[in-house]
């Protein structure tokens, strides 16, 4: 393939080596698991389409004191035969953005000059990186394409007045920087319509990239084998049916509704497993003590988690649909769930593309009753019916959302941008309220 068909890509974002990622997970209050998973799936998709890619990355650490490490050093790394450079920064409010911007201007300018990349692909809505992209775009040297996985300036419940003001400023800076870009890759159409309406877009909600089976290892601080619920041997049925959730243990993700739905089902052969951590972790432990069919929550790394998901009877995404944030999001767990070949229950989120509908079991409402009704319906299916539904879902996401398919879509999109006039599409910066969301941010 020619360079025009396979643009040379510098991926700027948070794609780091697995060793550093495990260090961050062990010391941070936020798990950047989906950031790490998507970043490497993006790399593998670019390579699957025949494109060369190099990495320029910052550690996805929460700002001090949520992560106690203050100084992150620069350096180089290599993983899966991909070369990367780490940006150093000071992990304090205000200084974090400033030092990351200085670091990326120095390192990014040097590496673009040395390697002659065609596309600067920017993962995320991090304003220091986007404003470096804007500087590059003004020079008309490469095409600048952000990958928008979240809206900018998301407000957290614990944010004080100063932090909220900084988030509003960050929101404005991001929108201004996006105007200089050549195009955007977005998880949902709403992200492009609200934050980059004038730019060419590629909607790519996720990538099906399950870890190889031989890579399965336990999280360094948690056991590989998941704990079983506390059911007395003489009460335990011969065959159990496992209801499994993996993700943040928060009310924003509907975990409390899922537990309530499960406790309303009386079948003694049912078991509930919650994999993750978050604000409801201790509450979930009390629920496990009250109902012996519920296992205490655990945290497993992705390679250990995927085989556990594949042994479930049904996998659940209980996220409520009435939050302002959901129109911008596509839960990446849906692709991972479907890839296991297990039936998937989910609320009807607006960011789910319609071609997923035949392979998902939707709750009529996002209440505990709605979840309980659809769970009972799926669990009542004959084993061969559940196997057929799960198998069809796995084939669908592997065929249409695998690295080869998504990589080819991305390659074609970037190649088209290479033939278009450089620079952004202009347009006005529409004023919108900042989305509210309880999750931590990078």
């Amino acid at each position: 393939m020619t360079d025009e068909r396979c643009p040379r890509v510098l991926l700027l974002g948070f794609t780091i080596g697995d060793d550093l990622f495990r260090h961050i997970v062990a010391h941070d209050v936020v798990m950047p698991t989906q950031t790490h998973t998507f970043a490497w799936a993006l790399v593998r998709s670019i390579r699957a389409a025949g494109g060369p890619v190099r990495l320029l990355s910052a550690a996805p650490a929460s700002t001090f004191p949520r992560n106690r490490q203050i100084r992150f050093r620069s350096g180089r790394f290599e993983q899966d035969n991909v070369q990367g450079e780490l940006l150093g920064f000071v992990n304090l409010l205000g200084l974090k953005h400033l030092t990351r911007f200085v670091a990326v201007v120095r390192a990014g300018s040097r590496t673009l000059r040395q390697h002659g990349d065609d596309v600067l692909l920017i993962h995320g809505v991090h304003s220091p990186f986007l404003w470096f992209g804007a500087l590059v775009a003004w020079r008309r040297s490469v095409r600048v394409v952000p990958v928008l996985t979240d809206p900018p300036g998301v407000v957290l419940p614990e944010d004080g007045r100063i932090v909220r003001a900084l988030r509003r400023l960050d929101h404005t800076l991001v929108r201004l920087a996006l105007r200089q870009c050549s195009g955007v890759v977005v998880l949902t159409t709403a992200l492009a319509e609200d934050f980059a309406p004038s730019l060419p877009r590629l909607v790519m909600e996720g990538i099906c990239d399950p870890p190889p089976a031989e890579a399965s290892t336990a999280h360094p601080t948690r056991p590989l084998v998941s704990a079983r619920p506390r059911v007395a041997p003489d009460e335990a049925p011969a065959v159990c049916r496992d209801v499994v959730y993996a993700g943040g243990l928060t009310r924003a993700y509907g975990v409390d509704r899922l537990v309530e739905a499960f406790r309303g089902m009386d079948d003694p052969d049912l078991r509930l497993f919650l994999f993750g951590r978050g604000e409801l972790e201790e509450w979930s432990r009390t629920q496990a003590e009250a109902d012996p069919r519920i296992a205490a929550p655990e945290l497993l790394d992705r390679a250990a988690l995927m085989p556990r998901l594949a042994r479930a009877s049904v996998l659940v995404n209980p996220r409520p649909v009435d939050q302002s944030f959901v129109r911008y999001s596509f839960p990446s767990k849906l692709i991972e769930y479907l890839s296991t070949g297990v039936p998937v229950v989910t609320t009807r989120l607006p960011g789910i593309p319609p071609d997923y509908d035949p392979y998902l079991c939707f709750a009529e409402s996002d209440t505990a009753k709605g979840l309980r009704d659809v769970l009972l319906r799926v669990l009542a299916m004959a084993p061969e019916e559940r196997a057929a539904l799960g198998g069809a879902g796995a084939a669908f996401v592997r065929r249409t959302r695998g690295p080869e398919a998504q990589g080819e879509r991305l390659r074609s999109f970037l190649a088209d941008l290479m033939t278009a006039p450089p620079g952004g599409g202009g347009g006005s910066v529409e004023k919108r309220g900042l989305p509210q969301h309880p999750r931590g941010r990078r």
Side-chain angles (χ1 to χ4, degrees):
M1 293 186 180
T2 65
D3 284 345
E4 287 73 20
R5 298 181 63 193
C6 288
R8 296 183 297 271
V9 173
L10 175 62
L11 176 58
L12 170 61
F14 305 92
T15 316
I16 59 175
D18 289 340
D19 289 344
L20 178 56
F21 172 73
R22 284 189 286 266
H23 172 79
I24 291 173
V25 168
H27 296 88
D28 208 302
V29 300
V30 175
M31 292 188 302
T33 303
Q34 297 307 327
T35 297
H36 187 68
T37 299
F38 181 81
W40 279 105
L42 188 60
V43 170
R44 283 186 275 272
S45 297
I46 295 170
R47 298 182 74 192
V53 59
R54 292 175 305 99
L55 309 175
L56 187 58
S57 306
S62 300
T63 304
F64 181 90
R66 305 183 83 193
N67 186 307
R68 305 295 296 184
Q69 184 172 343
I70 294 178
R71 183 180 180 186
F72 285 81
R73 297 181 181 275
S74 60
R76 298 185 181 276
F77 67 98
E78 179 178 348
Q79 182 167 303
D80 298 340
N81 296 318
V82 179
Q83 302 290 327
E85 181 174 354
L86 286 172
L87 300 170
F89 62 93
V90 178
N91 193 33
L92 296 174
L93 183 65
L95 284 177
K96 183 178 188 178
H97 277 52
L98 176 61
T99 54
R100 277 182 173 177
F101 178 71
V102 172
V104 73
V105 168
R106 290 176 177 174
S109 299
R110 169 176 42 80
T111 194
L112 287 171
R113 184 172 59 251
Q114 290 177 350
H115 297 278
D117 300 289
D118 302 307
V119 175
L120 176 64
L121 199 62
I122 305 175
H123 177 191
V125 289
H126 192 46
S127 56
F129 293 170
L130 287 172
W131 271 100
F132 170 68
L135 292 175
V136 171
W138 283 330
R139 292 166 48 197
R140 301 293 194 266
S141 54
V142 301
R143 297 301 190 270
V144 178
V145 182
V147 180
L148 304 184
T149 55
D150 299 290
V154 175
V155 175
L156 309 180
E158 66 269 21
D159 289 345
R161 183 179 302 175
I162 294 177
V163 174
R164 287 174 180 262
L166 289 174
R167 291 197 189 280
R168 286 193 291 271
L169 174 61
D170 191 63
H171 181 271
T172 301
L173 291 174
V174 166
R175 294 181 68 89
L176 290 171
L178 286 172
R179 297 175 62 188
Q180 308 303 321
C181 298
S182 301
V184 291
V185 179
V186 291
L187 262 62
T188 66
T189 301
L191 279 170
E193 291 176 343
D194 288 356
F195 300 104
S198 62
L199 298 182
R201 71 188 65 162
L202 171 65
V203 179
M204 190 171 73
E205 77 281 358
I207 302 167
C208 179
D209 186 37
E214 62 271 17
S216 180
T217 57
H219 185 278
T221 62
R222 303 293 177 108
L224 171 61
V225 180
S226 59
R228 301 299 303 179
R230 301 173 299 100
V231 177
D234 57 343
E235 299 176 2
V239 178
C240 295
R241 294 176 295 167
D242 294 348
V243 178
V244 177
Y245 167 84
L249 303 183
T250 67
R251 288 181 177 83
Y253 288 171
V255 173
D256 54 335
R257 301 183 189 187
L258 171 59
V259 172
E260 181 183 348
F262 180 85
R263 295 196 65 181
M265 298 187 290
D266 298 328
D267 303 49
D269 66 326
L270 294 179
R271 303 291 181 264
L272 176 63
F273 292 86
L274 305 173
F275 294 105
R277 72 183 185 199
E279 67 190 38
L280 293 181
E281 188 170 356
E282 288 307 314
W283 176 84
S284 300
R285 295 186 190 280
T286 65
Q287 297 299 304
E289 293 172 358
D291 188 336
R293 300 174 304 160
I294 302 176
E298 294 183 82
L299 178 65
L300 300 178
D301 78 356
R302 184 168 177 258
L305 176 64
M306 295 302 289
R308 184 62 192 88
L309 297 182
R311 297 199 300 271
S313 298
V314 60
L315 302 170
V316 190
N317 170 50
R319 183 178 295 187
V321 303
D322 57 353
Q323 301 164 346
S324 62
F325 184 85
V326 297
R327 68 187 300 267
Y328 300 118
S329 71
F330 175 89
S332 58
K333 66 168 58 67
L334 287 182
I335 290 180
E336 294 202 332
Y337 279 0
L338 286 167
S339 73
T340 65
V342 173
V344 177
V345 160
T346 181
T347 52
R348 194 175 288 276
L349 298 169
I352 300 177
D355 58 339
Y356 283 77
D357 287 3
Y359 311 103
L360 297 171
C361 300
F362 289 99
E364 291 301 318
S365 72
D366 62 359
T367 63
K369 182 183 184 302
L371 291 169
R372 181 164 55 249
D373 289 346
V374 69
L375 282 170
L376 289 172
R377 176 164 57 85
V378 173
L379 291 167
M381 292 179 179
E384 56 272 18
E385 185 180 0
R386 287 205 307 268
L389 176 62
F396 164 71
V397 292
R398 291 174 186 269
R399 180 182 70 255
T400 66
R401 268 67 175 183
E404 294 79 10
Q406 298 291 56
E408 178 56 30
R409 293 181 66 223
L410 181 60
R411 182 208 61 78
S412 178
F413 178 69
L414 297 179
D416 287 346
L417 292 180
M418 293 294 297
T419 64
S428 63
V429 179
E430 178 188 2
K431 293 189 112 180
R432 297 181 62 92
L434 271 60
Q436 307 287 318
H437 198 280
R439 291 182 63 196
R441 303 279 298 170
R442 285 182 289 272

